[in-house]
Amino acid sequence: MLAGVASILAITPAAAANQPVASGLLAYMAARADDADGDGAESVRRYAAALADAPGNVDVALRAYREALIVGDDALVDRAAAALAATGVAPADTALVAIAAAARKHDLAAADAAIARLAGDKLAVLGAPLKAWAVQERGGDPFAILAQRPRDSVARRLADENRALIQIARGQYDEGMAGLRALLGNDQASVDLRIAAAQLLIGAGQDVRARELLGGDLTAIVALREQPRGVKPSLAFGAARLFVRLADDLAAGDPGPLSITLTRAALRAEPDNDRARLLLASTLARIDRTDRALAVLDGIDRKGPWARAADSARIAVLAGAERYDEAIRIATPLAQPEDAPDVALATLADLLLAANRVSEAAPVYRRLLDRPSAAGRWEPWLQYAAALDQSGDWPGARAALLHAQTLAPNEPAVLNYLGYGDITHGGDVPKALAMLQRASALRPDDSAITDSLGWAYFRTGDLAHALPLLERAAQASPENAEIGEHLGDAYWRAGRRFEARYAWRAAQVVADDAKDRDRLATKIADGL
């Protein structure tokens, strides 16, 4: 940050005594602070002020560009991108925004220039399909562009997908449908491709052909089947789907700036693209921009094909931020009908359990388990056991765990819970130890299982085996207060009093519950 501040001062030396430089510096520093606090709207306002005072500062322009994309301020995105381009250091993804803006305005000359900027970058895989859609909008022959078979497998896949869509857009329905059938699978990308093709077909009055693509019970597919909504082919349509396609591929990895740019560009090209909103909200939530993610979800059409997915996404965003009560308020009505989907019941029960509302969670799990569709599934039995255990009913929890074990005899999570529970509640220690040993052998890198096994050895007085396991578990999960407390107890029994108090203090720092912190404080003061 200091380097950025110094450069602000350096680029306008003649104005050192003038107020604008000081205000620009202060605006930049305040924007960084707002940025760190997640206050997107205020940070954008301050970045805009800093950029106005220091348009040649690369650090200011880049941060303004990224924050404006997060918040969705198109005007500041364009200003910051222009400032970066003027200095010759514009990131490659600024071309995506330029393509989207040009496509929305049907400015094909500007779109061509922006598409050319993708050459030589990792985003070059988008070049040929984008050029093809631009030529299609002009009325030319897009297939000459897509005829070349690139070496890159991603580029080949994108070319094949867009060839099929463009064939449908040009009225070559049989060829397009045949091309789709060769590409479609069971993944989300295939679902998106089916929806895109169906929308083109509906827009062309080919409802019967569209219904061929809209089979199945996925909510977005069902919604489009029940309320057909067509689109007309354009570069904006093609670009938006390409950007969403790549953003979906990136969604499984760590969230990064490119994911945000792709989804914002998709919305710039096609403002009603709710699939892009879902991906954008997920990325924003993963970088702890919870309120911004919720605001994006609020923009999803409540009558559109992605409305149900928006509810699920809103619940996930709130749960990820540990705003469980808000998530429960959304999840409760979805689970109330007798014929509510299994996933609605499981979601509500899991939220109640996470919110420590265990007496409410157990009946919801029971509703789920009483359904024929739950037969043979061990996971809800494990969750049900957790709800019973946390409400003080260990015998009921143990019975549920034993049932889960009959369904999945070698599932490490079940073996771990059952073995640890028996150790804690005075059960058959040798048998519990054997279960934990098996769980650890099946999943040796699981710190919770390692801790359980170490604690079992501790309870049997075998410190030689207990300590290395508890140390390994604490090193792997320093944020887990229970593991840290176990390690402290073992150190104390081993006569390592200084290390015991250090472990307890570390556990006290990360403990959430006041009772746990008080208990640890007593141990720190008095030992065991």
Side-chain angles (χ1 to χ4, degrees):
M1 177 172 169
L2 292 177
V5 171
S7 59
I8 291 176
L9 295 175
I11 60 171
T12 53
N18 293 340
Q19 195 64 29
V21 177
S23 65
L25 172 59
L26 292 174
Y28 174 73
M29 295 177 69
R32 292 291 303 275
D34 291 333
D35 190 358
D37 290 338
D39 184 6
E42 183 62 18
S43 66
V44 158
R45 186 183 70 78
R46 295 184 189 276
Y47 276 127
L51 186 62
D53 286 336
N57 183 273
V58 173
D59 192 46
V60 171
L62 184 57
R63 289 185 179 278
Y65 172 70
R66 294 296 176 204
E67 189 67 16
L69 283 168
I70 287 172
V71 173
D73 187 321
D74 288 343
L76 183 56
V77 167
D78 292 344
R79 281 181 52 208
L84 290 164
T87 59
V89 293
D93 66 346
T94 57
L96 303 178
V97 177
I99 293 164
R104 181 69 180 160
K105 297 174 183 176
H106 301 285
D107 185 347
L108 296 179
D112 289 342
I115 293 169
R117 288 164 50 192
L118 298 176
D121 185 78
K122 61 184 178 182
L123 296 172
V125 293
L126 301 175
L130 287 168
K131 289 177 185 176
W133 279 106
V135 170
Q136 162 65 20
E137 185 162 329
R138 281 192 174 92
D141 177 13
F143 300 119
I145 296 170
L146 297 174
Q148 301 177 15
R149 298 295 292 167
R151 284 186 172 183
D152 184 88
S153 60
V154 174
R156 283 199 306 274
R157 175 76 185 194
L158 294 178
D160 291 342
E161 290 175 0
N162 284 275
R163 181 184 296 103
L165 291 175
I166 291 174
Q167 285 172 330
I168 291 172
R170 292 172 71 87
Q172 300 173 12
Y173 304 122
D174 291 338
E175 297 90 333
M177 296 287 279
L180 286 177
R181 281 191 285 271
L183 295 168
L184 294 175
N186 296 318
D187 57 350
Q188 183 61 52
S190 293
V191 173
D192 290 342
L193 185 58
R194 286 165 60 196
I195 289 174
Q199 287 174 322
L200 286 171
L201 289 165
I202 294 166
Q206 298 289 314
D207 290 25
V208 174
R209 292 180 188 271
R211 280 195 291 273
E212 292 180 35
L213 296 171
L214 297 177
D217 57 0
L218 292 173
T219 53
I221 295 287
V222 172
L224 188 59
R225 188 168 65 231
E226 293 177 349
Q227 293 184 319
R229 295 186 179 192
V231 298
K232 297 299 182 183
S234 64
L235 173 58
F237 169 87
R241 271 145 191 82
L242 270 167
F243 298 160
V244 165
R245 175 73 167 86
L246 190 53
D248 181 61
D249 283 348
L250 296 175
D254 292 333
L258 181 57
S259 297
I260 294 172
T261 308
L262 285 162
T263 45
R264 283 293 185 196
L267 288 167
R268 187 82 172 264
E270 203 174 46
D272 61 351
N273 192 313
D274 286 341
R275 176 74 175 110
R277 282 189 174 83
L278 285 170
L279 287 167
L280 174 60
S282 175
T283 302
L284 292 173
R286 292 170 68 194
I287 61 171
D288 299 326
R289 296 298 185 95
T290 303
D291 290 334
R292 185 57 54 185
L294 293 171
V296 169
L297 292 173
D298 287 341
I300 290 179
D301 184 356
R302 296 303 304 167
K303 296 180 180 180
W306 299 105
R308 183 71 65 84
D311 287 333
S312 299
R314 193 172 283 106
I315 291 168
V317 168
L318 290 166
E322 298 186 0
R323 291 163 58 172
Y324 296 119
D325 289 342
E326 294 172 73
I328 289 167
R329 280 197 292 273
I330 300 171
T332 298
L334 300 177
Q336 281 176 339
E338 283 299 314
D339 61 348
D342 287 0
V343 67
L345 292 176
T347 298
L348 176 59
D350 289 348
L351 287 168
L352 290 166
L353 184 61
N356 202 30
R357 292 163 60 172
V358 290
S359 61
E360 299 171 71
V364 182
Y365 282 124
R366 189 69 256 181
R367 271 184 67 194
L368 178 61
L369 292 168
D370 287 341
R371 292 182 166 190
S373 56
R377 293 172 53 198
W378 63 268
E379 298 94 331
W381 283 100
L382 180 65
Q383 295 294 87
Y384 180 50
L388 293 174
D389 183 22
Q390 291 178 35
S391 63
D393 182 8
W394 170 245
R398 191 173 191 279
L401 287 168
L402 288 171
H403 187 81
Q405 190 183 23
T406 63
L407 298 173
N410 292 311
E411 172 51 48
V414 175
L415 294 169
N416 177 56
Y417 202 148
L418 187 54
Y420 183 80
D422 277 348
I423 288 287
T424 305
H425 292 91
D428 186 330
V429 173
K431 190 174 180 180
L433 184 60
M435 277 191 286
L436 292 170
Q437 288 169 333
R438 197 161 89 218
S440 183
L442 290 166
R443 198 176 291 168
D445 295 328
D446 188 312
S447 60
I449 294 175
T450 302
D451 169 69
S452 297
L453 181 57
W455 189 241
Y457 281 123
F458 172 81
R459 293 291 291 262
T460 63
D462 187 352
L463 288 176
H465 280 98
L467 270 173
L469 290 167
L470 293 172
E471 286 173 334
R472 197 172 86 212
Q475 186 176 20
S477 297
E479 74 291 344
N480 190 306
E482 184 178 21
I483 292 176
E485 184 174 3
H486 286 169
L487 179 60
D489 290 1
Y491 278 144
W492 186 273
R493 289 292 185 222
R496 296 161 64 172
R497 306 300 167 85
F498 177 81
E499 290 163 288
R501 287 191 166 96
Y502 183 88
W504 288 330
R505 285 192 185 96
Q508 189 182 40
V509 169
V510 296
D512 293 325
D513 192 276
K515 290 188 294 185
D516 292 338
R517 291 193 295 272
D518 290 344
R519 184 182 64 255
L520 286 161
T522 300
K523 287 185 176 183
I524 292 167
D526 303 331
L528 291 181

